[in-house]
């Protein structure tokens, strides 16, 4: 019988809470495969997807590759874990002229032959049936895996497809992603989701300084993220008034510092209102003036009671770009529409601002009123996906 054999990674580190994580993972797999015909069952250390339509196998694999917490998977054949039945299956393998290696793994210790011995025996069977093939233990062209599980089934396959790893979505709470139109913030959201964190997203726009297209771009980015996180709530807030006020009243080199502090305050309030436990940004240390240690200290200092997560902090741009390509956001991110941060951009932003200087600039503004105004005009968009992880 054709099956998909799924392996999960770190979950076994979770001790007594393990079943909570496993249930979440199963739940997320079912959600991701919603609309497909399939069954899923569990045997210690593996999940097995069965009864699916074979012509949908490629799509199923693509979907499963987006489920966080799965480590790898293999399309496999399931046979009874009986020595003769496995040998019979192996005797039909064709790898004429190729080098090969047999890997046997025996989770079921009651299976009568040791893994090493059985691998050797199966290797001989392959050799007998493929006269010109030969064993290569180090760099085989053809790999034959036999995984003997405690459910008295053996799974035979020839490839291991890497999945995302990480932790099941939802197992690390829910945050708020500050989503710009750039490359880094969608990647930041993806990375936190891979660690099990769900999120809602917040975007600031500066209409009419920024166009409708800039907003559409962010909606498209959010849509791409839904492939991983399911339905996604996007909060959209107008930042025009804030920027005009800062531009009018503060020193231009502090424009970005003060803007970021107000963004953080708004984000903090939205987290409070919607019960979100962290702010997520795409900042990367030293990438631009607003992302130095000092700048992050000054912008972070206005946030109360919750952490700011910056999963791209220690990554090079190249690495971030690679991830953004792999999650399909890159082509959208590089579309050339202005972001609100590029409007009123000062020529020489401060690189090492202090909290004292920031407070000094903010006395010319009615910060609380500006934050309130942003919140009053908040618009909420539900960006829908093929599946919903929130139920
Ligand atoms: P990105 O590629 O994510 O835009 P960036 O390298 O362009 O990052 P900045 O523009 O300095 O960096 O923004 C730093 C972070 O601040 C972003 O990663 C994002 O989390 C947040 N941010 C910036 N602009 C906005 C915006 N208009 N709306 C929401 N969040 C924003
Ligand atoms: Mg940006």
């Amino acid at each position: 019988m054709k099956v998909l054999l799924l392996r999960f990674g770190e979950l076994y580190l979770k001790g007594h809470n393990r079943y909570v994580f496993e249930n979440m993972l199963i739940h997320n797999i079912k959600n991701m495969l919603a609309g497909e015909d399939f069954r899923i069952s569990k045997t210690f250390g593996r999940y097995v997807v069965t009864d699916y339509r074979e012509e949908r196998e490629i799509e199923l694999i693509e979907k499963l590759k987006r489920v966080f917490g799965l480590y790898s998977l293999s399309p496999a054949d399931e046979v009874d874990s009986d020595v003769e039945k496995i040998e019979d299956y192996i005797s039909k393998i064709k790898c004429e002229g190729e080098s090969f290696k047999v890997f046997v793994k025996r989770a079921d210790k009651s299976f009568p032959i040791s893994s090493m011995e059985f691998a050797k025996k199966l290797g001989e069977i392959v050799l007998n049936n493929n006269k010109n093939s030969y064993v290569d233990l180090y760099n085989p062209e053809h790999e034959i895996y036999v995984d003997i599980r405690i459910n008295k089934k053996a799974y035979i396959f020839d490839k291991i497809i890497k999945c995302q790893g990480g932790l099941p979505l939802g197992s690390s709470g829910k945050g708020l992603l500050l989503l710009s139109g750039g490359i880094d913030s969608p990647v930041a959201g993806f990375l936190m989701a891979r660690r099990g964190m769900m999120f809602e997203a917040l975007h600031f726009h500066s209409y009419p300084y920024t166009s409708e297209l800039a907003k559409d771009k962010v909606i498209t980015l959010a849509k791409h993220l839904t492939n991983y996180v399911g339905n996604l709530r996007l909060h959209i807030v107008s930042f025009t008034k804030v920027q005009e006020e800062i531009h009018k009243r503060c020193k231009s080199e502090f424009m970005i510092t003060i803007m970021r502090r107000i963004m953080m305050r708004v984000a903090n309030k939205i987290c409070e209102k919607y019960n979100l436990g962290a702010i997520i940004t795409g900042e990367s240390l030293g990438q631009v003036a607003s992302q130095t240690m000092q700048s992050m200290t000054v912008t972070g200092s206005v946030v109360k009671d919750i952490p700011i997560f910056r999963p791209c902090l220690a990554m090079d741009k190249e690495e971030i770009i690679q991830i953004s390509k792999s999650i399909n956001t890159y082509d959208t991110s590089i579309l050339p529409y202005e972001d609100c941060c590029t409007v009123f951009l000062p020529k020489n932003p401060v690189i090492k601002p202090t909290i004292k200087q920031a407070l000094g600039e903010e006395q010319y503004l009615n910060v609380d009123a500006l934050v309130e105004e942003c919140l009053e005009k908040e618009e909420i968009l539900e960006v829908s996906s093929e599946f919903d992880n929130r139920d």
Side-chain angles (χ1 to χ4, degrees), residues 6 8 11 19-36 38 40 47 49 60-70 164-173 192-199 226-231 385-391:
L6 314 183
F8 37 91
L11 294 191
Y19 75 95
V20 179
F21 283 77
E22 287 202 11
N23 288 345
M24 238 177 221
L25 184 54
I26 283 267
H27 174 264
N28 293 349
I29 291 170
K30 286 181 179 165
N31 273 341
M32 185 65 89
L33 299 186
E36 305 280 353
F38 71 101
I40 184 162
Y47 295 130
V49 177
L60 285 179
I61 291 174
E62 281 314 305
K63 288 181 183 185
L64 289 165
K65 277 165 74 179
R66 301 197 302 254
V67 176
F68 301 118
L70 286 182
Q164 294 291 347
L167 296 173
L169 192 66
S171 64
S172 302
M192 292 317 298
R194 198 171 67 179
R195 266 332 269 178
M197 178 166 271
M198 298 224 248
F199 56 80
T226 66
N227 287 329
Y228 294 90
V229 300
N231 294 352
S385 141
E386 281 170 28
F387 69 102
D388 188 356
N389 257 323
R390 296 182 301 189
D391 53 6

Side-chain angles (χ1 to χ4, degrees), residues 67-343:
V67 176
F68 301 118
L70 286 182
Y71 193 76
S72 65
L73 63 84
S74 298
D77 271 312
E78 181 183 281
V79 299
D80 292 336
S81 72
D82 167 272
V83 175
E84 268 176 35
K85 288 201 173 133
I86 297 172
E87 287 179 356
D88 180 52
Y89 183 98
I90 295 291
S91 70
K92 293 183 186 123
I93 289 181
K94 292 273 160 271
C95 58
E96 200 62 65
E98 284 178 356
S99 62
F100 74 92
K101 176 176 178 180
V102 181
F103 301 78
V104 174
K105 194 170 191 158
R106 191 180 59 144
D108 177 10
K109 298 299 175 204
S110 71
F111 190 78
I113 312 179
S114 79
S115 305
M116 285 271 276
E117 243 179 283
F118 199 37
K120 220 170 127 210
K121 196 162 172 223
L122 295 178
E124 278 161 17
I125 294 174
V126 176
L127 280 176
N128 287 338
N129 291 292
N130 297 274
K131 291 293 174 222
N132 297 316
S133 64
Y134 57 99
V135 175
D136 182 344
L137 296 181
Y138 301 104
N139 194 18
E141 287 164 288
H142 195 76
E143 294 170 328
I144 303 165
Y145 295 88
V146 180
D147 191 3
I148 301 164
R149 310 305 303 176
I150 57 171
N151 60 351
K152 303 291 172 204
K153 300 286 179 196
Y155 298 92
I156 305 175
F157 48 93
D158 61 6
K159 59 175 178 274
I160 297 176
I161 299 169
K162 215 169 154 6
C163 300
Q164 294 291 347
L167 296 173
L169 192 66
S171 64
S172 302
K174 194 167 187 181
L176 179 66
L177 171 67
L178 297 200
L179 184 61
S180 67
I183 296 170
D184 307 332
S185 47
V187 170
F190 165 79
L191 290 172
M192 292 317 298
R194 198 171 67 179
R195 266 332 269 178
M197 178 166 271
M198 298 224 248
F199 56 80
E200 298 186 4
L202 166 61
H203 177 66
F204 295 95
H205 72 87
S206 308
Y207 190 75
Y209 300 105
T210 57
S211 65
E212 246 344 91
L213 288 173
K215 191 165 136 188
D216 291 346
K217 174 180 172 181
V218 170
I219 297 169
T220 308
L221 288 174
K223 182 84 188 165
H224 284 303
L225 287 172
T226 66
N227 287 329
Y228 294 90
V229 300
N231 294 352
L232 176 58
R233 180 176 291 158
L234 176 59
H235 305 256
I236 298 181
V237 165
S238 167
F239 214 49
T240 316
K241 173 85 180 290
V242 175
Q243 286 182 295
E244 286 172 344
E245 282 291 300
I246 304 173
H247 185 60
K248 211 174 342 169
R249 300 180 198 282
C250 303
K251 282 201 202 94
S252 73
E253 65 262 40
F254 281 92
M255 179 86 206
I256 297 203
T257 312
I258 308 301
M259 254 172 58
R260 289 260 184 262
R261 280 165 63 90
I262 297 184
M263 278 186 179
M264 284 297 180
R265 288 179 176 104
V266 173
N268 203 170
K269 290 269 185 200
I270 289 182
C271 285
E272 230 172 77
K273 183 170 167 191
Y274 295 92
N275 202 17
L276 306 170
I279 293 172
I280 305 163
T281 80
E283 289 161 303
S284 167
L285 188 61
Q287 198 185 80
V288 287
S290 60
Q291 298 178 20
T292 61
M293 178 174 69
Q294 293 82 355
S295 291
M296 285 190 242
T297 305
V298 174
T299 50
S301 69
V302 299
V303 174
K304 287 199 206 75
D305 302 329
I306 50 172
I308 302 171
F309 290 151
R310 301 175 169 100
C312 301
L313 190 79
M315 296 172 81
D316 286 350
K317 194 75 184 186
E318 259 321 301
E319 296 172 277
I320 301 172
I321 287 174
Q322 253 179 34
I323 298 176
S324 110
K325 286 182 177 163
S326 79
I327 61 172
N328 231 356
T329 52
Y330 182 75
D331 291 342
T332 308
S333 290
I334 57 171
L335 294 174
Y337 309 125
E338 293 240 298
D339 177 55
C340 79
C341 296
T342 45
V343 181

Side-chain angles (χ1 to χ4, degrees), residues 43-66:
T43 167
F44 191 78
R46 301 278 186 273
Y47 295 130
V48 187
V49 177
T50 56
D51 301 286
Y52 58 88
R53 288 193 286 142
E54 260 187 77
E55 69 272 20
R56 294 288 302 163
E57 188 173 274
I58 292 172
E59 286 86 354
L60 285 179
I61 291 174
E62 281 314 305
K63 288 181 183 185
L64 289 165
K65 277 165 74 179
R66 301 197 302 254

